[in-house]
Amino acid sequence: MSISTDSTKAEQFVMAATVTEVETEGTKVVHVDGHTIALIHHNGQIYAIDNRCPHMGFPLDRGSVQDCVLTCHWHHARFDLASGGTFDQFAGDVRVFPVEVRKGDVWLDLAPRRDQSAYQRERLQVGLERDIPLVIGKAVLMLIDTGEDAVEPFRIGLDFGARYRSAGWGQGLTIHTCMMNLLPHLDADDRPLGLYHGLSAITRETTGSPPRFAIRPLPDTTADIDTFKRWFRRFVEVRDAEGAERCIVSAVRAGSGSVQMADMLFAAATDHRYIQIGHVADFTNKAFEALDWAGWEHAEIVLSSLGSAYARADRMEESNAWRHPIDLIEILEEAFDALPVALENGRERRGSWSGLESKIPVLLGDDPQVIADSLLEAVRQGATEDDLARTVAYAAALRIARFHISNEFSDWDTALHTFTFANAIHQGLLRNPSPELLRGVFDAAMSVYLDRFLNVPPSRLPEPDDTVAKPEALLDELAALLDRHQQVDHAGKLVAQYLNSNGGLNRLLAKLGNLLLREDRNFHTIQMVEAAMRQYQMHRGASQGTNILVAAARYLAAHSPTVRAQGQTYRIASRLHRGEHIYEE
């Protein structure tokens, strides 16, 4: 059918059909300026709607109309013909086109009438509220495509997760932040997928949970940050979650900034040993990283969501493993007593320490007293907080790089917890190098010691060989390898071989990110890859960096493949976004 325009009218109007054609056929499909539109004659009026069902693209002209409600016959989504509004939130509203009848012809106004970015932000909120992954995927793709910065959907998810889980910050928000941290390393096509994974993790965790009713700050308080810090640590000590949360929100409202709040929170996180197997320190670090992306204006709702985790955390002073047969708590307390003097003795030599390699055999050894003494000696020799934390985090990564597959599968998580805790302490010290948080490095070192049985016998680290291989071929081989179960050692070897072949680092990081995202990944695997990429930056180009990425690849391989249901939903969203027909073979 030929389409004509009326130059005397607004440019948005086009003639689409004759009234007689529409009345005769009842429903007529027309193609107008790139739009496929269904013209529907119902109750004496003509309506025009986009013919693609907004849910999964089924042609709406195949649906049925009753009482001005159009029902799509694929998933039974229902739409008001006049407004396009849906009665089923999984579908979304369908676009309608204003109709004018002129001298027996049907004219349509094709001018956009909706702020697409605002609508997609609204749809993202609906997807989060109702746990509809397809809606989340479509909203993210549309927001990115319309030029929205990735930070905006991240902010929406961050705010939602902090408000709608009664227990506060948890795995969902941690995954969400990990994904945002990974975004710069991903290929452009994978970045919306990373956001989708993070947002989906939030809605899974909040669904069925009561909302969190935030506690208001103290009224007109004159307390300073030192007072809030003292109160907060006291409330955590006696497991008073409400008092702890009110201290957080009051300190932020009183004007405390990022460094001050990090000092307050991380001090309490290390008042007791390795609390909640490291999750509290990791959650705290991720909360600050989330605020780095979203902006400090979100600090009250985000940081206050941590209060409950602090107050209710298990403490390793109460753990048999940390008390018997060797009392690690006693060793640590003695080290902490000596730490202020050690820091003072090493002050003039700071920045000159280069003892990482010599400390690794000690940290992986069998004597916790020697480990604690060695860390104190490093401080006396001028090791900075960064030096010490980076060294212990590397030792924790080696436990995974050398993890023997004869161990129980669940033991991967034991080593993982130590590594992510060590990374969190390291990142926290880069933000605020306080003597109190430095205690966490010693805690991490004791956890590395306790994990020593996971390296009996140790798996051998891949060694460079003379094999000539094209870097891209190695990445393809790695992807194929992770389609099979338990290719742990081979995966680590391929990563080492790739780096030895002078393959581009960015390509490797992007591929590891891609292999992470193609699976229905669990919390710990996401933590592992994100922390490994963080730690690699501290050892870039050195053998230590290679071993850290070997650890990440081995962990990925141990937890691959999975069902990949999330990827299937995202692919549907992506195909719909590209205008493909899902219902056709």
Side-chain angles (χ1 to χ4, degrees), residues 514-582:
N514 173 265
L515 295 176
L516 175 74
L517 295 175
R518 76 177 186 177
E519 308 284 345
D520 289 359
R521 290 299 183 189
N522 66 8
F523 171 51
H524 293 142
T525 308
I526 294 166
Q527 280 187 300
M528 177 67 216
V529 172
E530 189 269 345
M533 289 192 184
R534 282 272 182 171
Q535 286 300 313
Y536 177 84
Q537 304 304 325
M538 315 295 171
H539 304 276
R540 193 182 181 115
S543 61
Q544 293 93 343
T546 297
N547 292 334
I548 289 169
L549 293 185
V550 164
R554 296 183 86 242
Y555 198 98
L556 268 176
H559 297 79
S560 297
T562 68
V563 175
R564 303 183 185 177
Q566 285 181 281
Q568 171 68 2
T569 299
Y570 181 79
R571 280 191 296 275
I572 292 172
S574 183
R575 290 181 63 191
L576 290 168
H577 181 65
R578 294 194 300 266
E580 296 182 18
H581 294 278
I582 303 298

Side-chain angles (χ1 to χ4, degrees), residues 335-442:
F336 298 155
D337 288 341
L339 189 55
V341 174
L343 284 166
E344 186 60 35
N345 291 342
R347 192 168 304 281
E348 293 184 1
R349 303 168 67 184
R350 288 169 70 85
S352 62
W353 186 77
S354 59
L356 184 148
E357 284 293 343
S358 64
K359 284 289 180 278
I360 295 302
V362 177
L363 290 168
L364 299 178
D366 295 329
D367 191 330
Q369 185 64 63
V370 170
I371 291 170
D373 292 343
S374 180
L375 292 175
L376 283 170
E377 183 58 28
V379 173
R380 297 186 191 100
Q381 292 172 353
T384 64
E385 292 83 359
D386 176 25
D387 291 330
L388 218 61
R390 182 157 37 94
T391 301
V392 173
Y394 175 58
L398 284 177
R399 287 291 189 217
I400 300 172
R402 295 176 173 179
F403 184 96
H404 201 283
I405 57 175
S406 62
N407 289 301
E408 283 194 281
F409 187 77
S410 61
D411 282 331
W412 281 104
D413 292 346
T414 302
L416 177 281
H417 288 138
T418 302
F419 177 56
T420 52
F421 173 73
N423 174 65
I425 296 298
H426 186 196
Q427 303 306 321
L429 284 166
L430 292 175
R431 188 180 298 276
N432 179 47
S434 72
E436 294 152 325
L437 181 53
L438 188 57
R439 296 175 300 184
V441 175
F442 288 75

Side-chain angles (χ1 to χ4, degrees), residues 255-324:
S256 300
S258 175
V259 172
Q260 293 170 308
M261 292 306 298
D263 178 61
M264 172 175 147
L265 292 171
F266 277 120
T270 51
D271 277 341
H272 290 279
R273 313 281 55 82
Y274 193 50
I275 62 175
Q276 207 65 36
I277 56 175
H279 283 320
V280 171
D282 188 54
F283 289 177
T284 301
N285 177 56
K286 284 293 172 284
F288 280 99
E289 290 175 353
L291 292 171
D292 291 340
W293 287 106
W296 190 249
E297 62 269 23
H298 299 272
E300 277 190 30
I301 189 66
V302 170
L303 296 183
S304 61
S305 72
L306 295 165
S308 178
Y310 273 77
R312 296 170 184 170
D314 293 335
R315 301 164 179 178
M316 290 303 107
E317 293 94 322
E318 305 159 343
S319 165
N320 178 67
W322 285 63
R323 287 292 194 179
H324 303 285

Side-chain angles (χ1 to χ4, degrees), residues 27 38 40 42 47-54 58-73 76-82 84-88 94 96:
T27 297
I40 300 174
H42 179 68
Y47 301 89
I49 63 169
D50 191 312
N51 199 39
R52 282 172 61 86
C53 178
F58 196 73
L60 290 174
D61 67 291
R62 299 189 191 180
S64 58
V65 180
Q66 184 178 24
D67 193 22
C68 213
V69 174
L70 168 65
T71 300
C72 175
H73 283 282
H76 306 287
R78 297 157 299 166
F79 307 93
D80 169 27
L81 266 184
T86 184
F87 296 96
D88 302 283
V94 67
V96 297

Side-chain angles (χ1 to χ4, degrees), residues 73 85 131 133 194 313 331 378 440 449 458 460 544 577:
H73 283 282
D131 188 16
I331 291 173
Y449 158 76
R460 297 181 63 178
Q544 293 93 343
H577 181 65

Side-chain angles (χ1 to χ4, degrees), residues 103 120 124 138-139 196 212 256 306 409 413 428 464 497 575:
K103 300 178 180 179
Q120 294 303 330
L124 176 54
K138 290 191 290 186
Y196 163 75
R212 185 174 72 87
S256 300
L306 295 165
F409 187 77
D413 292 346
Q497 191 177 355
R575 290 181 63 191

Side-chain angles (χ1 to χ4, degrees), residues 21-261:
E21 289 173 327
V22 179
E23 290 178 344
T24 300
E25 298 182 30
T27 297
K28 182 176 181 62
V29 177
V30 297
H31 302 280
V32 185
D33 288 1
H35 299 277
T36 301
I37 300 173
L39 302 176
I40 300 174
H41 183 257
H42 179 68
N43 288 347
Q45 292 190 31
I46 295 176
Y47 301 89
I49 63 169
D50 191 312
N51 199 39
R52 282 172 61 86
C53 178
H55 177 220
M56 289 184 68
F58 196 73
L60 290 174
D61 67 291
R62 299 189 191 180
S64 58
V65 180
Q66 184 178 24
D67 193 22
C68 213
V69 174
L70 168 65
T71 300
C72 175
H73 283 282
W74 201 0
H75 295 95
H76 306 287
R78 297 157 299 166
F79 307 93
D80 169 27
L81 266 184
S83 69
T86 184
F87 296 96
D88 302 283
Q89 291 301 300
F90 67 81
D93 299 337
V94 67
R95 182 178 176 182
V96 297
F97 300 87
V99 175
E100 288 187 10
V101 175
R102 304 174 185 173
K103 300 178 180 179
D105 294 327
V106 178
W107 290 74
L108 306 180
D109 184 0
L110 304 183
R113 295 182 176 274
R114 181 162 63 190
D115 181 336
Q116 193 59 241
S117 291
Y119 177 67
Q120 294 303 330
R121 289 194 292 271
E122 177 187 311
R123 290 298 292 161
L124 176 54
Q125 190 77 21
V126 168
L128 290 167
E129 290 169 354
R130 289 164 173 78
D131 188 16
I132 313 175
L134 184 59
V135 170
I136 293 171
K138 290 191 290 186
V140 166
L141 284 162
M142 284 296 297
L143 284 169
I144 298 302
D145 192 55
T146 55
E148 193 81 65
D149 189 285
V151 173
E152 182 58 26
F154 174 77
R155 281 196 196 102
I156 292 171
L158 178 66
D159 185 77
F160 186 90
R163 293 180 187 277
Y164 291 102
R165 182 173 184 260
S166 59
W169 190 286
Q171 294 184 7
L173 282 168
T174 302
I175 291 173
H176 188 49
T177 307
C178 283
M179 289 300 172
M180 195 64 189
N181 289 342
L182 289 173
L183 244 57
H185 301 296
L186 300 177
D187 289 334
D189 288 345
D190 282 337
R191 289 170 191 160
L193 176 57
L195 285 170
Y196 163 75
H197 271 273
L199 291 160
S200 296
I202 288 173
T203 190
R204 284 197 306 272
E205 191 169 53
T206 54
T207 297
S209 170
R212 185 174 72 87
F213 297 110
I215 293 175
R216 293 172 177 80
L218 293 167
D220 303 321
T221 181
T222 58
D224 59 16
I225 184 60
D226 290 333
T227 302
F228 284 125
K229 179 179 177 181
R230 188 171 62 251
W231 287 348
F232 178 69
R233 295 169 77 177
R234 183 187 308 159
F235 291 140
V236 170
E237 183 68 29
V238 298
R239 301 186 181 278
D240 179 356
E242 287 190 356
E245 183 175 335
R246 196 161 208 197
C247 281
I248 293 172
V249 73
S250 298
V252 174
R253 184 68 63 88
S256 300
S258 175
V259 172
Q260 293 170 308
M261 292 306 298

